[in-house]
Amino acid sequence: MFTSTGSSGLYKAPLSKSLLLVPSALSLLLALLLPHCQKFFVYDLHAVKNDFQIWRLICGRVICLDLKDTFCSSLLIYNFRIFERRYGSRKFASFLLGCWILSALFDFLLVEAMQYSFGITVASNLPSGFLAPVFALFVPFYCSIPRVQVAQILGPLSITNKTLIYILGLQLFTSGSYIWIVAISGLISGLCYDHKMLQVHQVLCIPSWVAQFFSWTLEPIFSSSEPTSEARVGMGATVDIQRQQRMEQLDRQLMLSQFAQVRRQRQQQGGMINWNRLFPPLRQRRNINYQDGRRSEQQASPPLEVSEEQVARLMEMGFSRGDALEALRASNNDLNVATNFLLQH
């Protein structure tokens, strides 16, 4: 289970939804119905440099001509939609736009550096598509999303909630001969923008009036409805596992509803969320449901010791220390559970 990116589909992520639908549809259209028009969407740096075909910097870096790249980049955009929920659509769009512009500059620099430093002549055509910003999103993904172990394989090797996304990125990285140039330029631009080097985040940003215009015109088209609280529960190997999965699902739904109610009260009254009202029954309910004959504790257990490393990870994501401490204590030091509730609300 890979829960670092949430489980609410494309809710509150209209920009991610548009990046999934529009470029993918155009890629399929060019590949199946209009193959003779693909020449207008080739990312040809030599044509840009020698023939001043500046328009290729736009057309050649929006639509993927390789369907494998389209598929992999779409999956990555879907997984990275959590950043649009966290930052907001305007800030997320500013990050993508800034990295898209910066990566074009780094593409030229890398190609010229390979030619003059190592004597390697790179092919004139680089992989087309909205690839550099996708690679740039790996920077905040690596820095701000906590790594939670899901399964142990061999010794130090383990599967985490981020393994699948890294595998997809590796697949995209190895899909072409020169895609590594686009990948490196995307990572460098992501580092520059995420770490606010040379104040590029203030120069390359979406103006507020542009964000409002697209919010009025396009957001109603690409917005998604709020997901229902009822979700499918996976079939376990035994009846006990199925019952445990069902009870965990009910616990999650109950805590979500309680959290939403307390959050509304917090907006009216002010102050910090009282997490102790939300989570203490969790362990008691599990004891009642999963252990026959055992009675739940009559009094709440003393506060658990929380790892400062886990608190630091949550604070790096923008949450206050108080909320991070309370969420970790309430979730029995389960960083995955605490992160999901803090991110999704």
Side-chain angles (χ1 to χ4, degrees), residues 116-131:
Y116 288 103
S117 300
F118 304 100
I120 300 176
T121 302
V122 180
S124 60
N125 296 343
L126 293 180
S128 302
F130 197 71
L131 300 176

Side-chain angles (χ1 to χ4, degrees), residues 54-344:
I54 307 299
W55 54 271
R56 290 192 179 275
L57 290 176
I58 300 176
C59 297
R61 305 179 67 244
V62 174
I63 302 174
C64 292
L65 299 182
D66 191 334
L67 293 182
K68 298 191 301 296
D69 295 346
T70 302
F71 178 73
C72 291
S73 60
S74 298
L75 288 177
L76 288 171
I77 290 173
Y78 179 78
N79 282 280
F80 290 147
R81 72 198 185 281
I82 186 65
F83 294 114
E84 183 175 2
R85 296 178 188 158
R86 176 184 172 187
Y87 299 144
S89 296
R90 180 190 173 189
K91 189 174 180 180
F92 183 66
S94 298
F95 179 89
L96 295 178
L97 176 63
C99 294
W100 187 72
I101 295 174
L102 288 174
S103 61
L105 173 63
F106 290 126
D107 285 343
F108 275 102
L109 294 178
L110 285 174
V111 170
E112 295 297 327
M114 291 296 296
Q115 182 175 357
Y116 288 103
S117 300
F118 304 100
I120 300 176
T121 302
V122 180
S124 60
N125 296 343
L126 293 180
S128 302
F130 197 71
L131 300 176
V134 173
F135 283 107
L137 286 169
F138 275 97
V139 175
F141 179 75
Y142 175 81
C143 296
S144 62
I145 299 298
R147 177 180 177 272
V148 180
Q149 181 176 323
V150 177
Q152 191 76 21
I153 303 179
L154 293 174
L157 299 178
S158 61
I159 297 177
T160 70
N161 57 332
K162 304 169 72 172
T163 302
L164 178 62
I165 291 89
Y166 287 134
I167 292 176
L168 284 174
L170 183 61
Q171 172 65 33
L172 185 60
F173 183 82
T174 58
S175 63
S177 300
Y178 296 103
I179 197 171
W180 60 270
I181 296 178
V182 178
I184 293 176
S185 64
L187 292 173
I188 295 175
S189 61
L191 283 171
C192 293
Y193 203 96
D194 189 64
H195 291 77
K196 302 177 181 179
M197 297 181 180
L198 302 177
Q199 302 298 318
V200 293
H201 67 288
Q202 295 182 358
V203 178
L204 303 177
C205 63
I206 303 294
S208 58
W209 65 270
V210 175
Q212 292 179 357
F213 173 78
F214 284 106
S215 176
W216 295 333
T217 56
L218 297 182
E219 186 173 351
I221 300 175
F222 294 104
S223 60
S224 300
S225 58
E226 183 176 1
T228 57
S229 59
E230 183 66 24
R232 295 182 179 181
V233 179
M235 296 299 294
T238 64
V239 176
D240 292 337
I241 295 178
Q242 294 179 29
R243 185 183 299 113
Q244 180 177 353
Q245 291 176 338
R246 171 59 64 180
M247 295 309 300
E248 289 177 353
Q249 182 68 32
L250 293 176
D251 281 339
R252 190 178 300 111
Q253 294 176 5
L254 179 59
M255 286 185 291
L256 283 172
S257 62
Q258 291 176 338
F259 183 88
Q261 181 180 359
V262 175
R263 196 176 186 88
R264 287 193 296 267
Q265 295 177 358
R266 180 194 182 190
Q267 294 176 354
Q268 296 176 356
Q269 301 176 0
M272 184 178 295
I273 296 177
N274 186 6
W275 290 87
N276 294 326
R277 296 181 58 188
L278 304 180
F279 296 102
L282 179 60
R283 178 177 287 185
Q284 298 176 9
R285 285 198 301 271
R286 288 182 176 176
N287 289 335
I288 294 174
N289 294 325
Y290 305 146
Q291 300 181 12
D292 295 333
R294 292 192 60 181
R295 301 179 61 183
S296 61
E297 299 177 354
Q298 298 297 326
Q299 296 181 351
S301 58
L304 297 174
E305 294 185 2
V306 178
S307 171
E308 287 296 330
E309 180 181 358
Q310 293 180 344
V311 174
R313 288 186 179 182
L314 291 177
M315 292 179 65
E316 288 175 358
M317 300 177 65
F319 304 111
S320 66
R321 179 178 177 81
D323 282 353
L325 287 171
E326 295 297 334
L328 288 170
R329 291 195 186 104
S331 60
N332 195 24
N333 280 327
D334 191 327
L335 181 61
N336 194 19
V337 173
T339 303
N340 282 338
F341 281 104
L342 290 172
L343 286 177
Q344 294 179 11

